Amino acid sequence: MRILLLGGTGEARALATELHPDYDIVSSLAGRVPDPALPVGPVRIGGFGGVAGLRQWLGDNDITAVVDATHPFASTMTAHAAQVCAELGLPHLVLSRPAWDPAGAIRVGSDIEAAQVVADQHYSRVFLTTGRSGVRPFMSSHAWFLIRVVTPPDTDLMPCNHEVLLSRGPYGYADECALLRDNRIDVLVTKNSGGELTEAKLKAATDCGISIVMIDRPPLPAGVMAVGTVDEAAAWVAGLES
Ligand code: NAP
């Protein structure tokens, strides 16, 4: 049995720690960030080259099962893995951490809709945590943005009034409250990434009376098997042996 673990998340690293060295795993990272946090065990880095490339790679590397522990918004990779595993008849599991559900959040279906809400509601000081690729829809806004990202977005895609805060979680409640207050934020715009590492901003925003615009997750491909925790994913892998 040889398992491909699609990663780029804390959950994927935790699962690699659970499985290695008892199971033959290889973790895969997209290679987006220059200094990624690496999981234990063997790691490959870079895209596969679409559906055809993934199909080829799985065959070349004798993979017998795939656990997709990518970020809930990594929908292209998730779709490719679901399609290829179905075609090849490989056991396939998605590990997707539970979504957040903060009371009173304005729910939207995309970053474009989120930008529309910011414009319609005349928010003026925005804390934007939609990631490097989620900045573009806000580029024509005249609000001021505090843009927190791991790697800087392209400068020509950013709104004219902004400050970039380069950092990587986890973040604590007190620090998030201070950040919101010090920057006189009136709305938090975030993807529904879920997980505890970056959750403190939601309670901080709620307690500070700041609006939350929450971008809903893309749906999982139809028919995939999904679990919400690392322990459940490890149990699924253990069950493959029987
Ligand atoms: P995506 O849009 O679903 O994927 C775009 C392409 O990147 C895929 O088609 C694939 O290229 C490659 N790719 C993505 N994940 C890969 C992986 N684990 N191993 C090898 N290739 C991968 O993904 P994304 O949203 O850009 O995310 C990229 C990575 O960052 C993922 O590993 C994800 O877990 C992590 N991440 C994403 C977010 C987010 O908000 N989207 C946040 C935190 C971390 P090919 O078609 O060439 O195979």
Side-chain angles (χ1 to χ4, degrees):
M1 184 162 81
R2 186 144 203 259
I3 301 160
L4 172 65
L5 176 46
L6 295 168
T9 60
E11 287 77 10
R13 290 191 293 279
L15 182 59
T17 302
E18 284 275 315
L19 299 178
H20 177 78
D22 297 343
Y23 295 90
D24 184 7
I25 61 167
V26 55
S27 293
S28 176
L29 304 178
R32 291 280 189 284
V33 292
D35 57 342
L38 292 174
V40 298
V43 179
R44 65 161 303 282
I45 297 181
F48 298 95
V51 166
L54 178 61
R55 191 187 296 114
Q56 178 81 35
W57 192 92
L58 293 174
D60 291 348
N61 289 275
D62 299 323
I63 297 296
T64 53
V66 175
V67 178
D68 176 355
T70 56
H71 190 272
F73 280 79
S75 55
T76 304
M77 188 70 253
T78 293
H80 290 180
Q83 179 183 333
V84 174
C85 288
E87 283 171 12
L88 300 178
L90 291 182
H92 168 241
L93 181 76
V94 174
L95 167 54
S96 181
R97 57 198 180 210
W100 295 320
D101 189 19
I106 302 167
R107 313 294 284 254
V108 295
S110 67
D111 44 15
I112 295 169
E113 283 181 39
Q116 194 59 52
V117 171
V118 168
D120 291 349
Q121 301 293 321
H122 304 292
Y123 290 118
S124 61
R125 298 190 64 88
V126 184
F127 182 28
L128 188 63
T129 65
T130 51
R132 179 178 195 281
S133 60
V135 176
R136 184 186 199 130
F138 300 87
M139 58 186 279
S140 57
S141 172
H142 295 294
W144 179 86
F145 288 78
L146 178 63
I147 301 172
R148 186 164 72 187
V149 278
V150 177
T151 47
D154 297 336
T155 44
D156 52 346
L157 298 181
M158 291 204 263
C160 50
N161 303 310
H162 72 265
E163 183 182 324
V164 174
L165 181 56
L166 291 181
S167 80
R168 182 179 276 165
Y171 305 104
Y173 174 76
D175 288 342
E176 296 292 60
C177 287
L179 191 71
L180 295 172
R181 266 197 312 268
D182 293 350
N183 289 284
R184 294 177 289 114
I185 297 296
D186 59 10
V187 65
L188 161 67
V189 179
T190 182
K191 295 193 286 199
N192 196 337
S193 298
E196 292 172 7
L197 299 185
T198 59
E199 189 176 18
K201 63 189 170 193
L202 301 177
K203 180 160 170 38
T206 303
D207 292 352
C208 295
I210 290 166
S211 303
I212 300 172
V213 177
M214 177 79 79
I215 302 168
D216 284 333
R217 296 172 170 198
L220 288 174
V224 298
M225 188 185 305
V227 294
T229 66
V230 171
D231 285 350
E232 288 171 300
W236 180 84
V237 170
L240 292 173
E241 287 183 316
S242 51

